Amino acid sequence: MSTSTINRSSGSATAEPRGSRHLTQTLQGMATSDGAGVKLSRIIGQPGLPDLDPFLMLDAFNSDDPDAYIAGFPPHPHRGFETVTYMLAGAMRHRDNKGNVGLLGPGALQWMTAGRGIVHSEMPEQRDGLMRGFQLWLNLPARDKMCAPHYRDIAAEEIPSVQLTKEVRAKVLAGRIAGVRGAVEREATAPLLLDIVAEPGAMFGIGLPLDDTAFLYPYEGELMVGSGNAAKPLEQEWLGVLSKGDSLSLKAGAAGARLLLAAARPLQEPIAKYGPFVMTTEAEIKQAIDDFRADRF
Ligand code: CO
């Protein structure tokens, strides 16, 4: 039970408004490498936070050293969930075994529903400069895990943005906020994914569905999260997991902030994970391995 609930039911005096979200866990990414040796920070999907239903993984990559990224992610499979890739800098070429090809440039979004199976490669297209972005894995409900694969990429200029206040602007990667429909809308988990830029000291609030899972990741600058007595700082490149609640109060630090805000409806289903396969039972994992080996993706 959250402290805000305790405060409400006991009727004790608190400055925290009803339904206001606060931080329940903060953690830093774990340095690791994946693919053919791409150095990255694993934020969700590590021992400190194995998953955050329905989010299965969040990786951040940020390097100006080509040796840290140039080998990329050669062909590999996925089954049972969606991969969401958002580039801040650099360029990544996607190819898959369904005939899709895409080039993700700075600010572009790729939304891939792996469904019953896809084999793709994600390869950097540059030898100099910065490669920076995120990959988020979003689970599919059991009933949709074997759906047909689907691929979309959305150029930076096609991503809607919204002025939340005079000092705060957001790119609406997914979901709906302030009457603006994002680049992607998904039914089962109804994800909201925002890339927010806030000016120094900007205070702002965001309404969220009461029971959705939500997290914040300030990738530049820091934030105060929550309101009243429950307000706590969240440092740059720390993930903040939020309590349930229908509102969120934020204040950007003295240098301003750029952050990801993600929220989605939890699936509350069992998770069976094996590398790039995420299903609900071990038998389905075994089937995924067999199918991949037999070239049935
Ligand atoms: Co992949």
Side-chain angles (χ1 to χ4, degrees), residues 85-257:
T85 308
Y86 179 49
M87 297 291 286
L88 294 172
M92 193 94 88
R93 173 76 65 182
H94 161 100
R95 277 177 213 280
D96 66 43
N97 66 340
K98 309 293 165 196
N100 301 301
V101 178
L103 181 64
L104 289 185
L109 174 72
Q110 179 199 87
W111 201 285
M112 190 179 83
T113 305
R116 65 176 168 256
I118 202 161
V119 179
H120 76 153
S121 61
E122 300 157 284
M123 301 299 287
E125 285 253 322
Q126 64 184 42
R127 302 203 152 264
D128 296 302
L130 197 60
M131 181 69 68
R132 189 179 191 194
F134 301 95
Q135 188 167 91
L136 179 69
W137 288 11
L138 180 64
N139 208 359
L140 285 168
R143 66 170 189 275
D144 293 343
K145 282 185 177 289
M146 295 298 277
C147 71
H150 186 253
Y151 171 86
R152 245 189 100 184
D153 58 52
I154 300 125
E157 57 273 19
E158 292 167 36
I159 296 174
S161 67
V162 59
Q163 199 75 40
L164 293 174
T165 74
K166 210 172 140 234
E167 300 171 298
V168 181
R169 197 163 178 80
K171 290 184 186 171
V172 190
L173 307 175
R176 284 184 197 208
I177 187 100
V180 175
R181 296 173 65 152
V184 173
E185 288 186 275
R186 300 291 288 147
E187 207 171 303
T189 50
L192 174 70
L193 186 57
L194 303 177
D195 177 16
I196 299 174
V197 184
E199 287 181 24
M203 293 173 74
F204 57 109
I206 290 178
L208 294 170
L210 186 67
D211 292 317
D212 278 12
T213 300
F215 69 81
L216 297 164
Y217 185 75
Y219 58 90
E220 280 176 25
E222 53 187 33
L223 291 170
M224 281 300 284
V225 181
S227 61
N229 299 333
K232 284 194 191 128
L234 182 62
E235 289 176 54
Q236 180 169 324
E237 292 179 348
W238 282 66
L239 184 89
V241 180
L242 295 164
S243 66
K244 305 294 182 191
D246 59 6
S247 67
L248 173 63
S249 300
L250 298 172
K251 184 182 178 190

